[in-house]
Amino acid sequence: MKTKYIVGFFAAILIFGVLLTAGYQISYDRVTERSSPLGNEVTDTRSITAEGDAAAEDTEEDEGYYLCEMQGFVVVYLSDRKTIYEMTEIPLSDLPEEVRQEIAAGKYVAARDELYGFLENYSS
């Protein structure tokens, strides 16, 4: 008598597992169909150039940067001196006195390479 119940119990668990797996597979297939409908696939790999404001922002970054102080740390602003380009973790107190004075006055850095050179020198 016990063997009939054990066989029935395992058969019920097996059927439940098969139904659960089938339900998961069906829902997974539906989600993947919705996320990438056929015909909307991108086959063109050419690059896209920015126009308008996005292109103007790129040229602004090439115009120069200003190093200033904010809450005791060095902050990099874009050439407009309003937009923060990068907030650094370089404490102003760790810099030489001459560099501190330049940053307090708003040190101008013309090129991105020069900016990153400065930040690399004083960040460690």
Side-chain angles (χ1 to χ4, degrees), residues 26-38 40:
I26 290 169
S27 65
Y28 179 78
D29 289 341
R30 286 186 181 170
V31 168
T32 55
E33 286 175 7
R34 287 182 191 164
S35 64
S36 62
L38 297 175
N40 289 343

Side-chain angles (χ1 to χ4, degrees), residues 44-56 58:
D44 190 12
T45 58
R46 291 180 289 161
S47 64
I48 300 171
T49 58
E51 296 178 9
D53 293 337
D58 289 342

Side-chain angles (χ1 to χ4, degrees), residues 24-123:
Y24 174 77
Q25 189 64 38
I26 290 169
S27 65
Y28 179 78
D29 289 341
R30 286 186 181 170
V31 168
T32 55
E33 286 175 7
R34 287 182 191 164
S35 64
S36 62
L38 297 175
N40 289 343
E41 298 168 354
V42 177
T43 57
D44 190 12
T45 58
R46 291 180 289 161
S47 64
I48 300 171
T49 58
E51 296 178 9
D53 293 337
E57 288 177 10
D58 289 342
T59 57
E60 272 185 26
E61 291 179 359
D62 294 333
E63 289 180 9
Y65 305 91
Y66 284 94
L67 297 170
C68 299
E69 183 266 338
M70 178 187 285
Q71 298 177 351
F73 292 94
V74 177
V75 177
V76 181
Y77 287 93
L78 292 178
S79 60
D80 63 0
R81 289 188 130 185
K82 296 177 188 172
T83 308
I84 294 177
Y85 178 71
E86 184 174 348
M87 295 187 72
T88 70
E89 296 180 4
I90 302 172
L92 206 60
S93 59
D94 288 355
L95 300 176
E97 184 62 35
E98 179 182 313
V99 176
R100 274 191 234 164
Q101 291 174 358
E102 289 177 353
I103 290 176
K107 178 181 173 80
Y108 178 75
V109 180
R112 186 180 299 174
D113 294 337
E114 185 180 345
L115 170 68
Y116 286 123
F118 175 87
L119 295 176
E120 284 179 14
N121 285 336
Y122 291 108
S123 64

